[in-house]
Structure formats: structure tokens, C-alpha cells
Amino acid sequence: MESIFHEKQEGSLCAQHCLNNLLQGEYFSPVELSSIAHQLDEEERMRMAEGGVTSEDYRTFLQVISNALKVWGLELILFNSPEYQRLRIDPINERSFICNYKEHWFTVRKLGKQWFNLNSLLTGPELISDTYLALFLAQLQQEGYSIFVVKGDLPDCEADQLLQMIRVQQMHRPKLIGEELAQLKEQRVQKTDLEHVLEVNDGTGMLDEDEEELQRALALSRQEIDMEDEEADLRRAIQLSMQGTSRNRCQDIPQTSGSHPTSEELRKRREAYFEKQQQQQQQQPPGQLTHLCEKSSTSCEAPDRDLGDSMSEEDMLQAAVTMSLETVRSKTEGKK
């Protein structure tokens, strides 16, 4: 639609915009219209609006437009007049209309094979289908508009020639200029408010729900990693303590098979040790303490050394587990 000439509203020059949009070019200026009517100022428009369509001022202003169109051999006929209604002409067979409500004038024109609303209050031309044209004009009449049929041959224009060959489609209807300005103003206000919030919060208070969920998931993941690290530390401590115990046992106890004692053998040794302890306590007088032979003692007998070494393995393993648990507990409390 770039080839369609469309003057947007500036001040109160709606009559000038109406005529230029009709003729598809800058044919009239305020000075030229003033030379025809001698008065095209805002004061006359206000008097016309206050007086209504039957006032003398309205007829004078209508005469201004009529005289301007006579230069091009065009004339205006009231659309709902009895003379025109008797002709029973389908609106789509006309070429253009001029519509007026109080002080506002605008053009509806056919370019090529399609109709366009060239209202200067719109941000651009509005496409009107053939089936909607009659309804559109009837709606304007109900709203109080006076509609005039433009009779005569309009001057040639580029848009009319181009649209004779192609048809256009309009995806979005143009907005009123006031609506567009209000929307732009609202967008600027929203942008300013957003910038102010970002400045005050320094961007820290603008997390949405998805970002908050991500933060919670990361926190849980870190906790799980910490727990896994603690468990790994415990397993390594137990493994090291068992390795150290096995090495000591291998040095002190003669092995016949070259393999480490099984858990069943260790259990049997513990049972034998406890049984011997009970027998010694029953034979000794009360109050006398029974001591175990240490590894460094050379006076202990071989069987006792075997049992002592067995208990030393268990004691050392238990001590290692206890120390590992305390280490893990200290790490956990320190992280909290």
C-alpha cells in the first residue's frame, strides 16, 4: 500500500487532507483553500460543529469543498437524498465518497478494484471489502455522518494504475492516530518503570519462577554432592584402616596360605578369646585384673599372641571407623 497517497491529520486541516486523499496528491494547501472560501480557520469549524449540518456555516464550508472539486470537473451528491436513492445504484459501482461528521471530513475511494478508507485520523489506508462497503456506509450514517457521492472522472494516479493489475491484502487494520500515540506513551511509561525497578533492585529482585526453581535445583544438587563426598571419605578411611590392619597382621602372624583370614576365622578367634577370658576370671581371685599381652611384649606365648593380634585387628578397625565418622561429622557441621 506504499503507492497509495495518504495524508495524516495535522492540526485542523481535515478538509485539505480529505481533498488531497481523494485526488491522490498534494493538490490543495491551506492557502489555496483559503483563496476559495476566504475562511478555513478553526473558528469556522467550531461554529459549524456547534450549529449542526443545517447551519449556514456548514453550508458555507460544504460549498468550499464543492467549489474546490469543480476545478477538476467533480460534483457532490448527497448519498441518502431522494434523487440519488431513486437511481438505486450499488455503492460498489461508484468511485468515491466524502464523509462528514461535524468538523471532520474524510474520503473513501476505490483504487484499482478495491476500496480504501483514507481517513486522515488513521495511521494508514484501511482496506474495505466489497461486501463490507455498504455496511460501512450504513454504520457511518447511524453515527451521524453525512455521506456524499463524488461524481465525475478523478485524475489518474499511480496507485489506481498499479492496483488495476494486482490486489492487496491487509493483515492488520490501521489504528487511530490517538490510539497509536497512547500506546507508544504507555510503552514508554512501562519501560521507564522497568528501568526504575532494575535500578532500585540492581537486578536482584527480578527472578521469575523458572529461575527460582533453577536456583533451588542447584542448591539440592550441591547438598547431594556434599553427601556423596562425605560417604566417599568414609569408605576411603575404612579401606585404608583395613589395609593397615592387614599389613600388621601379616607381619605378626605366620600365614600358611598367603591369603588374609576370612570373617569366619576372625569370628572364631573372637569367640575363643572371650571364652578364655571367662575361664581366667573364674580361676583368679576377685579384684585381680587380667591383662592382654601387647604386640611389643616378647614374653607372651604364641597362642596368646595369636588371640591378641586378632583383637588388635578388631580394635584398630573399630577405632578407624570411629575416627572416620567423627571426621565426617566435623566436616558436615563445618559446612552447615
Side-chain angles (χ1 to χ4, degrees), residues 52-260:
V53 296
T54 60
S55 66
E56 184 65 26
D57 290 330
Y58 167 78
R59 287 194 294 268
T60 301
F61 197 73
L62 178 60
Q63 190 64 36
V64 170
I65 295 181
S66 298
N67 291 341
L69 292 177
K70 282 181 181 180
V71 178
W72 298 93
L74 303 172
E75 63 174 332
L76 299 179
I77 299 177
L78 191 62
F79 177 69
N80 60 350
S81 64
E83 293 80 9
Y84 182 79
Q85 291 297 321
R86 281 196 295 267
L87 298 176
R88 298 182 180 277
I89 300 176
D90 192 332
I92 63 173
N93 294 325
E94 298 291 356
R95 294 294 301 168
S96 58
F97 300 92
I98 287 181
C99 308
N100 164 253
Y101 180 72
K102 294 184 178 181
E103 73 274 13
H104 185 59
W105 301 75
F106 70 92
T107 294
V108 177
R109 174 173 172 171
K110 191 174 188 178
L111 294 169
K113 300 178 182 180
Q114 295 174 286
W115 284 90
F116 296 91
N117 177 9
L118 303 177
N119 193 338
S120 59
L121 293 178
L122 295 174
T123 57
E126 179 185 17
L127 180 63
I128 301 176
S129 64
D130 291 348
T131 55
Y132 181 64
L133 177 63
L135 180 61
F136 177 72
L137 296 176
Q139 182 179 356
L140 290 178
Q141 286 181 308
Q142 291 181 354
E143 294 175 357
Y145 276 84
S146 297
I147 301 176
F148 299 90
V149 183
V150 180
K151 289 293 187 180
D153 295 328
L154 295 167
D156 292 335
C157 64
E158 179 184 357
D160 187 54
Q161 296 174 359
L162 181 62
L163 294 176
Q164 289 288 349
M165 298 181 291
I166 62 173
R167 296 179 66 88
V168 299
Q169 293 182 348
Q170 190 170 47
M171 302 302 296
H172 303 285
R173 296 179 59 185
K175 299 179 181 180
L176 289 173
I177 293 178
E179 292 178 354
E180 184 182 43
L181 293 176
Q183 185 176 6
L184 292 174
K185 182 178 179 181
E186 183 179 357
Q187 291 176 353
R188 286 195 297 268
V189 171
Q190 292 177 351
K191 183 179 179 181
T192 303
D193 293 342
L194 178 59
E195 292 175 350
H196 177 69
V197 171
L198 289 175
E199 182 178 356
V200 172
N201 294 283
D202 193 23
T204 57
M206 302 302 295
L207 292 176
D208 55 15
E209 294 181 359
D210 293 338
E211 292 174 340
E212 291 178 356
E213 291 179 358
L214 177 59
Q215 294 296 331
R216 288 194 293 269
L218 290 175
L220 291 174
S221 177
R222 285 194 293 267
Q223 293 178 2
E224 292 176 356
I225 292 174
D226 292 341
M227 293 177 63
E228 291 176 357
D229 291 341
E230 293 170 0
E231 294 176 356
D233 292 341
L234 176 60
R235 287 194 297 270
R236 284 194 295 269
I238 294 175
Q239 183 177 5
L240 289 174
S241 63
M242 293 179 67
Q243 291 176 355
T245 303
S246 298
R247 285 196 298 268
N248 293 334
R249 187 180 64 231
C250 291
Q251 295 175 359
D252 296 339
I253 302 176
Q255 300 294 329
T256 58
S257 61
S259 60
H260 297 293

